[in-house]
Amino acid sequence: MNETTETMTSALESKIGAFLRKLLKLGDDVPLDAEADLVQQIGLDSIEAFDAVASFHELLNLPIPDDFNPRTANSIHNLSNYLMDRFGPDAAERFLDLDLDKVTLGGDQEDL
Amino acid sequence: MMPSYGKKAIEDLLPHRGEALFLDDAVVEGSHVSTHATWTDSHPHLAGHFPGLPIVPGVFLIEAAAQSAGVLLASLGDGAARLGLLSGVRKSLIHRPVRPGERICFELDVKQIGDTNFCSAVGTAHNEVSDKVLTVELTVAIVMREAIER
């Protein structure tokens, strides 16, 4: 992995972590290890994990591929790799450019 | 020929019974399902929703959409052994009130999401004069009945 890719991966993992915190309303005190399994270790239930993946695709206006394998996106690290491998650096850049304070995610309307 | 189901045939596909079964009929065509539902004045919930002004609760419309997806999923081969359980309402717009006696037509596209146990069910519902009453996007979990009977 070259330095540029490493920097991109690190930035993506950080952004995906922020995305999950917003989606799941997790406080900053909840640790989100990039390698941790979203269900087995971080404690999402199956619909939360699915909703995270669905919302992730929605934010990028990308369809969930018909052959989507949830095991390829079961951690922040894997979700980052999935985005890069499946949709390429342009999609990764678009995700990094998102202002998460301005996007609407599931449950946000409860705050209205 | 497109599989079509009357009320009795729907009972072979869904576990709902009595006033909890909202669908009158269903037609499945590939990943698309069309259904009809009508709520009458005598539905026990409508006496209180609202007294003197019965309106079908919006959640009934969402539930009818979920039942429609359930018919399609159960029709895929395992019958009532394969349940579609509503697990998320990603979007719902209720465009206008539905009164008892209105025949509502639901049109939904149901698609399994990759190699997951979840489906999206996306569509609309209209009344007899083609007024849109519901836009909905649901997440439906596919579970085997025996898995939740334990």
Side-chain angles (χ1 to χ4, degrees), chain A residues 78-91:
Chain A
N78 286 349
L79 205 46
S80 167
N81 286 345
Y82 165 78
L83 177 59
M84 284 289 281
D85 295 346
R86 192 78 196 220
F87 300 109
D90 287 351

Side-chain angles (χ1 to χ4, degrees), chain A residues 15-48:
Chain A
K15 188 87 175 199
I16 292 168
F19 156 73
L20 289 175
R21 280 188 197 285
K22 179 175 167 74
L23 179 72
L24 301 167
K25 300 187 180 344
L26 300 175
D28 290 337
D29 55 327
V30 178
L32 285 182
D33 181 350
E35 301 284 347
D37 186 287
L38 295 174
V39 173
Q40 301 293 333
Q41 292 167 287
I42 292 180
L44 276 63
D45 63 29
S46 60
I47 184 62
E48 286 173 325

